[in-house]
């Protein structure tokens, strides 16, 4: 089971390929924050990446948000396609869902629990 936001600068493909080609039964649970999918920001901002400690200043306009949202949808589609081609089970989940609920719902959906 891989729990990740799949937002690594080096990508996710090599690691997941290694698991898939190693004949493991792989489940990827992509955890996403709602503000990453639909940012509530507009105007002048200073963004701080907590993983790399990098900061960036930018001005966000409505058109930029529209393009960003489309990129997010495209990225999710890319991950879903990647996993499907390798018979990797894929589940995307919001960080707003309690982890216990997420796991129990998945297990029930897969008929692992009655």
């Amino acid at each position: 089971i891989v729990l990740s936001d799949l937002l690594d600068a080096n990508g996710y493909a090599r690691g997941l390929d290694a698991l898939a080609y190693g004949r493991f039964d792989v489940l990827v649970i992509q955890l996403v924050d709602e503000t990453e999918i639909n940012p509530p920001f507009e105007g002048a901002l200073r963004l701080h990446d907590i993983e790399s400690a990098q900061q960036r200043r930018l001005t966000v306009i409505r058109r930029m948000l529209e393009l960003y949202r489309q990129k997010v949808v495209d990225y999710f589609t890319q991950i879903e396609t990647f996993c499907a081609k390798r018979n990797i089970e894929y589940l995307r989940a919001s960080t707003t869902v309690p982890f216990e609920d997420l796991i129990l719902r998945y297990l029930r959906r897969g008929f692992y629990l009655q």
Side-chain angles (χ1 to χ4, degrees), residues 15-41:
L16 294 181
D17 271 340
L19 293 171
Y21 293 131
R23 295 199 168 100
F24 289 96
D25 290 328
V26 183
L27 165 62
V28 173
I29 300 176
Q30 183 184 21
L31 299 172
V32 294
D33 187 288
E34 293 301 316
T35 60
E36 292 173 334
I37 297 170
N38 199 12
F41 315 116

Side-chain angles (χ1 to χ4, degrees), residues 2 11-20 82:
V2 177
Y12 58 84
R14 270 183 79 189
L16 294 181
D17 271 340
L19 293 171
F82 177 92

Side-chain angles (χ1 to χ4, degrees), residues 8-109:
D8 188 287
N10 296 317
Y12 58 84
R14 270 183 79 189
L16 294 181
D17 271 340
L19 293 171
Y21 293 131
R23 295 199 168 100
F24 289 96
D25 290 328
V26 183
L27 165 62
V28 173
I29 300 176
Q30 183 184 21
L31 299 172
V32 294
D33 187 288
E34 293 301 316
T35 60
E36 292 173 334
I37 297 170
N38 199 12
F41 315 116
E42 271 192 63
L45 301 170
R46 181 175 60 183
L47 301 177
H48 180 85
D49 183 337
I50 60 173
E51 293 178 6
S52 69
Q54 291 182 331
Q55 293 188 26
R56 184 164 289 171
R57 292 179 185 267
L58 68 143
T59 301
V60 177
I61 59 173
R62 188 173 311 265
R63 178 70 179 136
M64 184 184 290
L65 284 173
E66 291 169 4
L67 292 171
Y68 173 83
R69 288 181 186 116
Q70 185 57 52
K71 290 269 188 197
V72 169
V73 168
D74 293 346
Y75 187 65
F76 289 159
T77 301
Q78 175 190 4
I79 293 167
E80 290 168 5
T81 301
F82 177 92
C83 288
K85 286 182 179 178
R86 289 158 180 80
N87 294 318
I88 294 174
E89 283 194 69
Y90 171 77
L91 178 65
R92 184 173 51 251
S94 170
T95 55
T96 61
V97 175
F99 186 72
E100 300 82 19
D101 294 348
L102 169 69
I103 294 302
L104 288 173
R105 184 174 52 207
Y106 168 76
L107 292 174
R108 284 189 184 111
R109 186 188 78 186

